[in-house]
Amino acid sequence: MTTSEQTTTPVTGERADLLAALAKQRHFLTFPTRDLTDDQARQHTTASELCLGGLIKHVTEVERGWAGFILKGPAAMPDFTAMTEDDWAARERTFQLGPDETLAGVLAAYEETARATDELVATVADLDHKWPLPKAPWNEPGAEWSIRQVLIHIVAETAQHSGHADIIRESLDGSKSMG
């Protein structure tokens, strides 16, 4: 059977629930970017430095990082306790849509990351498998997370930033995701 002829087993149960929750939050993150220009996606419309294009870019990077963690454990993540000011500045730039970046480009990258994460959730052997968390000031030394906990964290992170996106869009032009 060729790759194009292969069928995938439907995802059911807990995995389907996790993917449905993540899909819903992904929608609420990206929906506020509808019909925007690149310049609008770069605008800071609130007191924060957040912009819509930067939020999509940041969540893409975060999801990729945690997907790497699912596969390789803490080796896939930086040692946050050893990061320099330049490292932190580079991380902060993930919240910005640079002048050479487009909203369409960051949305496409997010869509590709989402597909890869969804495939990972569907195929990972054991949601109970645990890895030590990466070294970070906000992680308790020696703490571990199961793959399930990582997925719940990705859903929560996406939900938090979808709320930011809604507020930024409403501040931009009055458009709302709901209501």
Side-chain angles (χ1 to χ4, degrees):
M1 175 181 336
T2 66
T3 305
S4 61
E5 296 172 321
Q6 292 176 350
T7 58
T8 58
T9 304
V11 179
T12 60
E14 178 183 20
R15 291 170 195 251
D17 292 344
L18 288 165
L19 289 174
L22 186 52
K24 183 177 186 175
Q25 295 312 316
R26 287 175 177 150
H27 167 75
F28 284 121
L29 175 67
T30 58
F31 186 70
T33 67
R34 70 198 178 283
D35 303 323
L36 292 182
T37 66
D38 292 339
D39 286 338
Q40 288 172 311
R42 286 186 189 92
Q43 285 186 21
H44 307 277
T45 62
T46 66
S48 83
E49 290 295 316
L50 299 176
C51 65
L52 288 166
L55 280 175
I56 303 296
K57 186 175 150 184
H58 171 73
V59 172
T60 301
E61 293 297 316
V62 168
E63 189 169 318
R64 281 183 191 152
W66 283 113
F69 178 85
I70 287 171
L71 292 170
K72 300 177 185 172
M77 304 282 269
D79 177 348
F80 293 98
T81 62
M83 288 177 58
T84 66
E85 284 186 37
D86 288 342
D87 295 331
W88 286 111
R91 265 184 95 68
E92 287 298 313
R93 284 192 294 277
T94 70
F95 283 102
Q96 302 305 315
L97 184 63
D100 58 336
E101 297 173 306
T102 64
L103 178 59
V106 296
L107 285 168
Y110 186 48
E111 188 175 304
E112 178 56 36
T113 296
R115 275 194 298 272
T117 301
D118 291 353
E119 179 65 23
L120 180 60
V121 172
T123 59
V124 69
D126 182 8
L127 295 179
D128 290 321
H129 179 79
K130 290 186 175 187
W131 290 105
L133 287 175
K135 291 182 182 177
W138 51 85
N139 289 336
E140 182 180 327
E144 295 180 330
W145 272 5
S146 67
I147 291 171
R148 178 181 297 99
Q149 287 171 293
V150 171
L151 295 171
I152 291 168
H153 176 73
I154 293 170
V155 171
E157 174 102 6
T158 307
Q160 177 183 12
H161 290 308
S162 69
H164 294 143
D166 193 43
I167 291 168
I168 292 168
R169 179 61 189 257
E170 186 174 357
S171 297
L172 178 67
D173 65 5
S175 296
K176 297 178 182 179
S177 296
M178 299 175 68

PDB file of all heavy atoms in Angstrom, residues 89-105:
ATOM      1  N   ALA A  89      15.874  38.188  25.124  1.00  0.00           N
ATOM      2  CA  ALA A  89      15.436  39.162  24.122  1.00  0.00           C
ATOM      3  C   ALA A  89      14.938  38.447  22.861  1.00  0.00           C
ATOM      4  O   ALA A  89      13.927  38.848  22.272  1.00  0.00           O
ATOM      5  CB  ALA A  89      16.569  40.119  23.783  1.00  0.00           C
ATOM      6  N   ALA A  90      15.622  37.390  22.475  1.00  0.00           N
ATOM      7  CA  ALA A  90      15.189  36.609  21.309  1.00  0.00           C
ATOM      8  C   ALA A  90      13.829  35.970  21.565  1.00  0.00           C
ATOM      9  O   ALA A  90      12.965  35.941  20.687  1.00  0.00           O
ATOM     10  CB  ALA A  90      16.228  35.547  20.968  1.00  0.00           C
ATOM     11  N   ARG A  91      13.628  35.479  22.786  1.00  0.00           N
ATOM     12  CA  ARG A  91      12.316  34.902  23.135  1.00  0.00           C
ATOM     13  C   ARG A  91      11.232  35.961  23.085  1.00  0.00           C
ATOM     14  O   ARG A  91      10.115  35.700  22.642  1.00  0.00           O
ATOM     15  CB  ARG A  91      12.362  34.281  24.536  1.00  0.00           C
ATOM     16  CG  ARG A  91      12.640  32.808  24.511  1.00  0.00           C
ATOM     17  CD  ARG A  91      12.579  32.204  25.881  1.00  0.00           C
ATOM     18  NE  ARG A  91      11.301  31.623  26.240  1.00  0.00           N
ATOM     19  CZ  ARG A  91      10.770  30.550  25.692  1.00  0.00           C
ATOM     20  NH1 ARG A  91      11.374  29.955  24.703  1.00  0.00           N
ATOM     21  NH2 ARG A  91       9.635  30.066  26.112  1.00  0.00           N
ATOM     22  N   GLU A  92      11.538  37.152  23.566  1.00  0.00           N
ATOM     23  CA  GLU A  92      10.556  38.238  23.535  1.00  0.00           C
ATOM     24  C   GLU A  92      10.173  38.595  22.101  1.00  0.00           C
ATOM     25  O   GLU A  92       9.038  38.992  21.845  1.00  0.00           O
ATOM     26  CB  GLU A  92      11.085  39.471  24.270  1.00  0.00           C
ATOM     27  CG  GLU A  92      11.119  39.308  25.777  1.00  0.00           C
ATOM     28  CD  GLU A  92       9.735  39.075  26.369  1.00  0.00           C
ATOM     29  OE1 GLU A  92       8.788  39.809  26.011  1.00  0.00           O
ATOM     30  OE2 GLU A  92       9.598  38.141  27.177  1.00  0.00           O
ATOM     31  N   ARG A  93      11.110  38.447  21.168  1.00  0.00           N
ATOM     32  CA  ARG A  93      10.808  38.762  19.766  1.00  0.00           C
ATOM     33  C   ARG A  93       9.796  37.788  19.168  1.00  0.00           C
ATOM     34  O   ARG A  93       9.202  38.085  18.138  1.00  0.00           O
ATOM     35  CB  ARG A  93      12.093  38.815  18.937  1.00  0.00           C
ATOM     36  CG  ARG A  93      12.887  40.088  19.161  1.00  0.00           C
ATOM     37  CD  ARG A  93      14.001  40.273  18.140  1.00  0.00           C
ATOM     38  NE  ARG A  93      15.051  39.269  18.237  1.00  0.00           N
ATOM     39  CZ  ARG A  93      16.084  39.316  19.090  1.00  0.00           C
ATOM     40  NH1 ARG A  93      16.205  40.331  19.925  1.00  0.00           N
ATOM     41  NH2 ARG A  93      16.998  38.366  19.101  1.00  0.00           N
ATOM     42  N   THR A  94       9.601  36.629  19.815  1.00  0.00           N
ATOM     43  CA  THR A  94       8.572  35.718  19.291  1.00  0.00           C
ATOM     44  C   THR A  94       7.187  36.330  19.455  1.00  0.00           C
ATOM     45  O   THR A  94       6.244  35.866  18.830  1.00  0.00           O
ATOM     46  CB  THR A  94       8.603  34.321  19.963  1.00  0.00           C
ATOM     47  OG1 THR A  94       8.168  34.402  21.318  1.00  0.00           O
ATOM     48  CG2 THR A  94       9.971  33.678  19.858  1.00  0.00           C
ATOM     49  N   PHE A  95       7.064  37.357  20.262  1.00  0.00           N
ATOM     50  CA  PHE A  95       5.783  38.031  20.446  1.00  0.00           C
ATOM     51  C   PHE A  95       5.558  39.144  19.419  1.00  0.00           C
ATOM     52  O   PHE A  95       4.566  39.864  19.506  1.00  0.00           O
ATOM     53  CB  PHE A  95       5.686  38.632  21.853  1.00  0.00           C
ATOM     54  CG  PHE A  95       5.393  37.631  22.932  1.00  0.00           C
ATOM     55  CD1 PHE A  95       6.412  37.183  23.763  1.00  0.00           C
ATOM     56  CD2 PHE A  95       4.113  37.142  23.123  1.00  0.00           C
ATOM     57  CE1 PHE A  95       6.147  36.274  24.768  1.00  0.00           C
ATOM     58  CE2 PHE A  95       3.841  36.228  24.128  1.00  0.00           C
ATOM     59  CZ  PHE A  95       4.861  35.788  24.955  1.00  0.00           C
ATOM     60  N   GLN A  96       6.474  39.314  18.496  1.00  0.00           N
ATOM     61  CA  GLN A  96       6.366  40.395  17.514  1.00  0.00           C
ATOM     62  C   GLN A  96       6.292  39.823  16.102  1.00  0.00           C
ATOM     63  O   GLN A  96       6.906  38.800  15.805  1.00  0.00           O
ATOM     64  CB  GLN A  96       7.585  41.332  17.614  1.00  0.00           C
ATOM     65  CG  GLN A  96       7.778  41.939  18.980  1.00  0.00           C
ATOM     66  CD  GLN A  96       6.551  42.681  19.479  1.00  0.00           C
ATOM     67  OE1 GLN A  96       5.939  43.442  18.738  1.00  0.00           O
ATOM     68  NE2 GLN A  96       6.173  42.444  20.725  1.00  0.00           N
ATOM     69  N   LEU A  97       5.555  40.489  15.236  1.00  0.00           N
ATOM     70  CA  LEU A  97       5.538  40.162  13.818  1.00  0.00           C
ATOM     71  C   LEU A  97       6.533  41.110  13.167  1.00  0.00           C
ATOM     72  O   LEU A  97       6.288  42.309  13.062  1.00  0.00           O
ATOM     73  CB  LEU A  97       4.132  40.349  13.236  1.00  0.00           C
ATOM     74  CG  LEU A  97       3.950  39.949  11.774  1.00  0.00           C
ATOM     75  CD1 LEU A  97       4.199  38.451  11.597  1.00  0.00           C
ATOM     76  CD2 LEU A  97       2.550  40.316  11.301  1.00  0.00           C
ATOM     77  N   GLY A  98       7.672  40.557  12.787  1.00  0.00           N
ATOM     78  CA  GLY A  98       8.753  41.377  12.244  1.00  0.00           C
ATOM     79  C   GLY A  98       8.402  41.982  10.899  1.00  0.00           C
ATOM     80  O   GLY A  98       7.461  41.540  10.221  1.00  0.00           O
ATOM     81  N   PRO A  99       9.182  42.983  10.490  1.00  0.00           N
ATOM     82  CA  PRO A  99       8.897  43.672   9.227  1.00  0.00           C
ATOM     83  C   PRO A  99       9.022  42.760   8.006  1.00  0.00           C
ATOM     84  O   PRO A  99       8.406  43.018   6.974  1.00  0.00           O
ATOM     85  CB  PRO A  99       9.928  44.801   9.181  1.00  0.00           C
ATOM     86  CG  PRO A  99      10.956  44.454  10.190  1.00  0.00           C
ATOM     87  CD  PRO A  99      10.329  43.533  11.182  1.00  0.00           C
ATOM     88  N   ASP A 100       9.789  41.690   8.110  1.00  0.00           N
ATOM     89  CA  ASP A 100       9.955  40.759   6.995  1.00  0.00           C
ATOM     90  C   ASP A 100       9.015  39.562   7.094  1.00  0.00           C
ATOM     91  O   ASP A 100       9.081  38.647   6.279  1.00  0.00           O
ATOM     92  CB  ASP A 100      11.399  40.277   6.934  1.00  0.00           C
ATOM     93  CG  ASP A 100      11.848  39.592   8.218  1.00  0.00           C
ATOM     94  OD1 ASP A 100      11.264  39.861   9.276  1.00  0.00           O
ATOM     95  OD2 ASP A 100      12.793  38.779   8.157  1.00  0.00           O
ATOM     96  N   GLU A 101       8.106  39.564   8.074  1.00  0.00           N
ATOM     97  CA  GLU A 101       7.166  38.472   8.267  1.00  0.00           C
ATOM     98  C   GLU A 101       5.770  38.923   7.874  1.00  0.00           C
ATOM     99  O   GLU A 101       5.449  40.112   7.935  1.00  0.00           O
ATOM    100  CB  GLU A 101       7.155  38.036   9.740  1.00  0.00           C
ATOM    101  CG  GLU A 101       8.487  37.478  10.198  1.00  0.00           C
ATOM    102  CD  GLU A 101       8.515  37.202  11.697  1.00  0.00           C
ATOM    103  OE1 GLU A 101       8.206  38.125  12.481  1.00  0.00           O
ATOM    104  OE2 GLU A 101       8.852  36.065  12.056  1.00  0.00           O
ATOM    105  N   THR A 102       4.950  37.946   7.488  1.00  0.00           N
ATOM    106  CA  THR A 102       3.570  38.253   7.120  1.00  0.00           C
ATOM    107  C   THR A 102       2.611  37.479   8.018  1.00  0.00           C
ATOM    108  O   THR A 102       2.963  36.417   8.546  1.00  0.00           O
ATOM    109  CB  THR A 102       3.277  37.864   5.656  1.00  0.00           C
ATOM    110  OG1 THR A 102       3.398  36.441   5.523  1.00  0.00           O
ATOM    111  CG2 THR A 102       4.231  38.572   4.690  1.00  0.00           C
ATOM    112  N   LEU A 103       1.426  38.008   8.151  1.00  0.00           N
ATOM    113  CA  LEU A 103       0.395  37.301   8.902  1.00  0.00           C
ATOM    114  C   LEU A 103       0.097  35.963   8.235  1.00  0.00           C
ATOM    115  O   LEU A 103      -0.004  34.931   8.910  1.00  0.00           O
ATOM    116  CB  LEU A 103      -0.872  38.158   9.007  1.00  0.00           C
ATOM    117  CG  LEU A 103      -2.045  37.516   9.728  1.00  0.00           C
ATOM    118  CD1 LEU A 103      -1.687  37.121  11.159  1.00  0.00           C
ATOM    119  CD2 LEU A 103      -3.249  38.459   9.708  1.00  0.00           C
ATOM    120  N   ALA A 104      -0.002  35.954   6.924  1.00  0.00           N
ATOM    121  CA  ALA A 104      -0.259  34.697   6.207  1.00  0.00           C
ATOM    122  C   ALA A 104       0.841  33.679   6.483  1.00  0.00           C
ATOM    123  O   ALA A 104       0.566  32.488   6.671  1.00  0.00           O
ATOM    124  CB  ALA A 104      -0.382  34.954   4.705  1.00  0.00           C
ATOM    125  N   GLY A 105       2.072  34.135   6.550  1.00  0.00           N
ATOM    126  CA  GLY A 105       3.194  33.238   6.814  1.00  0.00           C
ATOM    127  C   GLY A 105       3.151  32.640   8.208  1.00  0.00           C
ATOM    128  O   GLY A 105       3.374  31.432   8.377  1.00  0.00           O
TER     129      GLY A 105
END
